[in-house]
Amino acid sequence: MRTPFVVGNWKLNKTIAESLALVTELKNQLGAVKGVAVGVAPVFTSLHSVAKRLEGSAIATCGQNCHFETTGAWTGEVSAPLLADAGATWVIVGHSERRQFFGDTSEIVGKKARAVLAAGLGAIVCVGELLAERDAGRTLAVVDDQLAGGLAGIDAAAAASKIVIAYEPVWAIGTGRTATPAQAQEVHAHIRKWLADRFTPTTADAIRIQYGGSVKPSNAEALMSEKDIDGALVGGASLEAADFIAIVKAARPS
Ligand code: 13P
């Protein structure tokens, strides 16, 4: 049994005041929801305030990215131990926007994932193909490469509860064009098999695989009802309390 995990990735949105208003509402309204883990990933400037506001609730505070080194001359960067110090318990690594616009290769993603786990935090490792790669029939090969790099050097058997894979087809992010539940399930099942081959079937069964890409209240339940879809990484729809709450409730085991 895997507890679904729904995380709101706020990307580059919200002031501290706006962030606090949103998490206060989430804290109030999601307190009684059982059977689903919930997280929010604010911008770094809001992260500490959000984590403080969420104290005493089960909602996790997540970083959107981190550097792979812990300290030193890395102007503009934030490390995993400093995110932990600010109150984060999870960090997203390898988001497609990092890969596309900031040069995060799968090798770098692996270094970041190892840094996150070494800091005692959970790592949400994102994978997903571009539209051209899907059209060329390369989806599974691309995902395999990203998994190999992103999980390099990681003992997943020891850390299964602290590793989440997020499958986010790039063509579905922010486009309103969601993968169908069947399209998503096909890739999720493939990821689970990859994890079973690389680690063990028991480890693969324990690792949660989120879907991300235009998840909305209207499609969340159908997606998360698929056997290998264990929650969602939500962008745009996580910026509105009502939408995000509806998505979280759709993930509850029926
Ligand atoms: P949207 O939900 O806005 O498509 O974004 C998905 C995403 O990138 C979450 O990390």
Side-chain angles (χ1 to χ4, degrees):
M1 277 296 284
R2 295 178 293 269
T3 304
F5 190 18
V6 178
V7 173
N9 174 10
W10 296 355
K11 307 190 180 183
L12 184 46
N13 292 290
K14 295 199 182 287
T15 62
I16 295 172
E18 290 164 350
S19 302
L20 290 176
L22 177 52
V23 286
T24 303
E25 210 168 327
L26 297 181
K27 188 174 172 176
N28 291 340
Q29 296 202 38
L30 290 174
V33 174
K34 300 259 180 298
V36 50
V38 181
V40 294
V43 295
F44 291 143
T45 46
S46 302
L47 191 143
H48 182 59
S49 311
V50 163
K52 280 266 173 218
R53 181 63 57 93
L54 287 174
E55 273 175 7
S57 94
I59 302 173
T61 304
C62 313
Q64 297 179 13
N65 175 44
C66 70
H67 192 52
F68 47 78
E69 295 291 349
T70 52
T71 54
W74 302 98
T75 302
E77 293 294 329
V78 170
S79 67
L82 292 183
L83 287 172
D85 181 52
T89 49
W90 289 85
V91 184
I92 300 167
V93 295
H95 190 278
S96 66
E97 286 146 23
R98 301 292 321 169
R99 294 179 190 263
Q100 275 186 290
F101 306 122
F102 301 97
D104 284 16
T105 62
S106 289
E107 189 192 348
I108 290 171
V109 175
K111 287 168 100 169
K112 292 184 175 187
R114 293 197 294 277
V116 168
L117 295 171
L121 304 174
I124 299 174
V125 180
C126 302
V127 299
E129 81 287 2
L130 303 168
L131 183 57
E133 292 166 338
R134 173 162 284 263
D135 288 346
R138 298 191 49 234
T139 297
L140 301 182
V142 167
V143 167
D144 286 357
D145 280 352
Q146 292 173 337
L147 289 170
L151 297 177
I154 288 173
D155 178 7
S161 66
K162 293 213 160 178
I163 295 170
V164 167
I165 308 297
Y167 170 58
E168 299 204 309
V170 180
W171 48 271
I173 295 177
T175 59
R177 188 178 157 193
T178 323
T180 64
Q183 279 176 321
Q185 167 59 26
E186 182 195 5
V187 181
H188 280 236
H190 176 82
I191 292 171
R192 184 110 37 223
K193 176 157 187 328
W194 188 96
L195 294 168
D197 292 344
R198 167 79 165 71
F199 304 109
T200 65
T202 310
T203 301
D205 273 346
I207 293 179
R208 289 170 291 184
I209 309 174
Q210 296 173 321
Y211 170 79
S214 297
V215 176
K216 305 182 270 275
S218 58
N219 59 26
E221 190 169 356
L223 284 160
M224 291 188 285
S225 304
E226 292 290 339
K227 179 170 165 284
D228 290 295
I229 301 185
D230 311 312
L233 188 53
V234 186
S238 71
L239 299 174
E240 295 291 335
D243 285 353
F244 187 64
I245 289 164
I247 293 169
V248 169
K249 290 186 171 169
R252 273 191 294 174
S254 48

